[in-house]
Amino acid sequence: MYVLPSTHTRLQHYCFMSEKPLKTTQFKHSRSLRIKAKTNVSGELALDYRVFDEIPVSDTFAWNNLIQTHLTNGDFDLVLLTYLQMLLQCVRPDRHTLPRVLAASCRCGDIFVGKQLHGHALKLGYSFDHYVLTALIEMYGRLDGVDTARWLFDKSPSRNSVSWTLLARLYIMENKPSLAIGMFNQMVDLGVEIDSVALATAVGACGMLKSLQQGRKLHEITKKCGLEFDALVSNSLLKMYTDCGSIEDARAIYDQMPLKDVIAGTTIINGYVRKGGFNEALKLFRHMNMDGLKSDSLTFSSVLPACARMAAHKHGKEIHGYLLRNSIDLNLMVQNAVMDMYVKSGFIEYASRIFVRMKDKDPISWTVMILGYSLHGQGACGVDLFCAMERKSTIQIDQVTYAAVLHACSTARMVEQGKFYFNCIKAPNVSNCSLMVALLARAGLFEEARIFIEIQKIERHVEVLRALLDGCRNHQQLALGKQVIEQLCELEPLNAKNYVLLSNWYANSARWDKVDKLRQTISDMGLKPKKAYSWIEFRSKVHAFATGDVSHPRSQKIYWELECLIKKMEDEKHQPNPDFSLHDVEEERECIQIGHSEMLAISFGLISTQPGATIRVTKNLRVCRSCHDCAKFISKIAGREIILKDINCFHHFKDGFCSCDDFW
C-alpha cells in the first residue's frame, strides 16, 4: 500500500504547481457548489461515502471502476470527489486512473484542476505514459489551446499514432485544417503507424479546406495502407469528395463500398442535393430503403430538400406519409425539413399546419415559416408571426431571422416596420441592405432608397442594384431603370442578362438600331442569354416547355386552348400589359403571347387535369407582365387556382387576383 505521512502534506506530495503547492482544501472545495447541490437534491454523496468505506484500500481496480461509472454518467464532480477520497485513503492512482480524472476536468472546463492533475502525473512518474499523455494533450488542447498541447507533445519522448491523431483533431477544432494535414504528413514521413482514425482525421481536414488535390493524394495513401474500404475511412472519403464538390468521385467510392451503411447513404444523398441532382438523390433514397438500410433523422432531413420543388411535391408527401405511417420520431430537425419542403413545393397551408402543431420550435422553425409566408405573397402574416416570436422570450433572434422579416416587410411594403427591424441588426451586411433597398423601391420611395444607398456606400453591389431595378420595373421608372441597367453592364460585363435588359429597354422605345447593336455585342462576346423554360408535373411525369415550343405531342390542343382563352379575353375587353421595357428575357418580347413557356404549361394543365384542380407551374426566369395578366384572367374564367413559381416568388392566381398584388 502507498502511504504518505499526513493528510496536510499528502496532497502536497502528489501535486506539482508552478506557483504554489496544492492544499487539500483547494482541491476539495474548487467544485464545492455543484457537489453541495447534488447532495441536497438526491443524497447521492452520502451513498458514495458508504461505497468508499466498502472498497478495499489496495483495490485500485475497484476505485477506477467507480470513477469510470461517474464519468460515463456525466457526474464529473463525483469523479473528482472520488479521486480525492482515493488519495485521502492512501490509494496510489495508476496509469488508468489519471486519464479518467483528466477527462472529467476537461468536461468541467476546469483547467485549474487539470494542471493539478498534471502535477500528480509528474510526481507519480506517469507523465510520459501513452494513456496519460494523450489525456493531458486533450485537456490542454480543449482548455488552453492547441499551442499548449503542441508544446507538451513536442516535449514528450513517447509519441504514438493516437497522440499524433489527437493533435491533428485539436487543430481541426480550432479551424486550422492545413496544420492538421501537416501533422499527418509528418506522421507519414517519420514512419509512424497509420491507422483508420488518423486517415479519417486527415481526410476530414481536406474536406474543410475543399482541397480536392490533397484529398486525392490521401485517397492514394488509403489504398496503399489497405484501408480504403474501412467503414470510417470510406465514409470520410465520401464526405470529403462531396464537400469538395466532386460528386463523381464520391459516387465512385459509394458504388465500390462492399458494405454500405446509413451514414454513407445519407452523405451521398446530401451531396447530390447540394449539387442539384435531386432525382438521383431520390433514387438513392429508394435504393437505401429497398436494401434494408433504416434511414435516420439526418437521412430524411437530407432527402427532403430534393422534394422542395413544385414538380416533386408528390415525393415529399410520400416521404412525410412514410414518416407518419412508420411512427418515426419526428425530431425538430425533421419537422423543420418537412415544413421547408412544403413551403418550397407550393403548399404553404400544409407548412402552416405543421408549424402550429409543433410542440417545440427553434429559430429555424420560425424563420422557415416567416420567409415562407413572404415567398407566397403573405408578407403581413410573416411580420405578425415574427411579432409572436418576439413575445417568446426564450427564442434567440439572429441575423437570418431578421433577414426573413425584412423580406416579409418588403413583400407587404411595410416601410416603417422594415426600418425598425433593419435598425435592430447590429452589423447589417450587404444582403440586409439590399432587402432594405428592395422595400423602399417597392414602396416607390426612390429618393429614400438613393440616400440609403449613398449612406451605406453600397452603390457598386450588384445585389443592391437589382433590388432597385425591381422597384423601377414595378413603378415603371424607365429613366432610373436605364441608369441602373447601365451600371449593371459596367459591374458585370460578362453577364448576358444585363445586355438583354438594355436591349428590351431600347426595343420599348423603338430604338431598333441599338437593339441590333446589343445583339451583335452579345454574339461577339460569346455570351449566351438564358432560355426561358416552364414545366408542370402530371401523372408522375414532368412536361417541360420552351418559348414557342411545338414539340409536345399535344401541342395542337395546347395552342387551341390558348387561342380560345385569348378570344374570351378580347371579348371582355381585357388587354394584357405588353410592356417588356425592363424584362430580362429577350426571346419572349419577339414571341407571340400564346407561345410563352408559362402559358403553354398552364394550357397543358387546363386540358389535362380535372375541372377545379389546382394547376402548379414552375418557370426558371421571371414571369412577364403580359403572362401575369393572362394568368389572372384565366384563373377567373376557368375557375381554377394557378400557382406559378418564378425565380422570385410564388404567384397564387385565384378569381382574377394574384397573391403578389402585382409586385414581383
Side-chain angles (χ1 to χ4, degrees), residues 371-418:
L371 187 59
Y373 278 130
S374 181
L375 290 172
H376 286 265
Q378 302 178 40
C381 292
V383 175
D384 289 343
L385 192 63
F386 182 83
C387 293
M389 180 184 180
E390 284 186 305
R391 291 192 288 271
K392 300 275 186 180
S393 58
T394 56
I395 300 293
Q396 185 71 35
I397 301 174
D398 58 17
Q399 191 151 315
V400 178
T401 311
Y402 275 121
V405 75
L406 269 177
H407 194 288
C409 289
S410 177
T411 299
R413 303 187 299 287
M414 299 170 69
V415 177
E416 293 307 315
Q417 292 92 327

Side-chain angles (χ1 to χ4, degrees), residues 249-489:
D249 286 322
R251 184 59 185 266
I253 288 283
Y254 182 78
D255 289 340
Q256 293 172 38
M257 289 172 69
L259 291 173
K260 300 177 178 68
D261 57 18
V262 69
I263 297 172
T266 302
T267 302
I268 193 69
I269 286 170
N270 190 40
Y272 271 110
V273 169
R274 282 192 287 172
K275 292 288 284 186
F278 303 124
N279 292 332
E280 196 60 34
L282 288 167
K283 283 181 188 176
L284 284 165
F285 177 72
R286 291 192 197 98
H287 285 310
M288 274 182 65
N289 287 316
M290 287 189 291
D291 292 342
L293 289 176
K294 191 173 182 181
S295 301
D296 58 15
S297 59
L298 197 56
T299 311
F300 287 112
S301 59
S302 295
V303 75
L304 280 166
C307 309
R309 302 166 291 138
M310 293 269 274
H313 69 273
K314 288 183 180 177
H315 299 300
K317 284 183 177 180
E318 286 172 8
I319 292 173
H320 188 197
Y322 177 88
L323 289 166
L324 297 174
R325 284 193 307 274
N326 292 277
S327 302
I328 294 171
D329 179 34
L330 292 176
N331 62 26
L332 198 52
M333 181 170 61
V334 175
Q335 290 182 81
N336 286 340
V338 172
M339 188 166 60
D340 183 65
M341 178 273 296
Y342 279 125
V343 164
K344 291 176 180 173
S345 59
F347 291 85
I348 188 67
E349 65 281 2
Y350 287 8
S352 181
R353 286 178 207 163
I354 292 170
F355 180 81
V356 169
R357 292 171 184 167
M358 288 172 70
K359 293 180 181 178
D360 299 308
K361 302 178 181 77
D362 63 4
I364 295 173
S365 315
W366 292 88
T367 303
V368 166
M369 206 61 228
I370 291 166
L371 187 59
Y373 278 130
S374 181
L375 290 172
H376 286 265
Q378 302 178 40
C381 292
V383 175
D384 289 343
L385 192 63
F386 182 83
C387 293
M389 180 184 180
E390 284 186 305
R391 291 192 288 271
K392 300 275 186 180
S393 58
T394 56
I395 300 293
Q396 185 71 35
I397 301 174
D398 58 17
Q399 191 151 315
V400 178
T401 311
Y402 275 121
V405 75
L406 269 177
H407 194 288
C409 289
S410 177
T411 299
R413 303 187 299 287
M414 299 170 69
V415 177
E416 293 307 315
Q417 292 92 327
K419 289 179 179 177
F420 174 79
Y421 293 130
F422 179 82
N423 291 328
C424 291
I425 302 174
K426 292 179 181 178
N429 57 30
V430 175
S431 294
N432 301 139
C433 292
S434 67
L435 285 168
M436 195 64 207
V437 171
L439 168 58
L440 295 171
R442 283 169 70 94
L445 302 173
F446 292 100
E447 182 60 22
E448 273 196 55
R450 183 188 65 79
I451 294 169
F452 178 84
I453 290 170
E454 287 181 0
I455 291 172
Q456 298 292 332
K457 298 178 180 178
I458 51 175
E459 56 275 347
R460 294 191 63 79
H461 286 273
V462 170
E463 188 179 354
V464 173
L465 292 175
R466 294 204 184 281
L468 184 60
L469 184 62
D470 287 344
C472 295
R473 185 182 293 109
N474 286 318
H475 291 280
Q476 289 298 289
Q477 295 289 316
L478 300 184
L480 178 58
K482 182 172 182 283
Q483 292 176 25
V484 174
I485 294 168
E486 288 172 342
Q487 284 181 273
L488 286 169
C489 288

Side-chain angles (χ1 to χ4, degrees), residues 67-78:
I67 288 171
Q68 182 61 49
T69 300
H70 290 319
L71 186 63
T72 303
N73 293 337
D75 295 325
F76 307 125
D77 290 319
L78 293 183

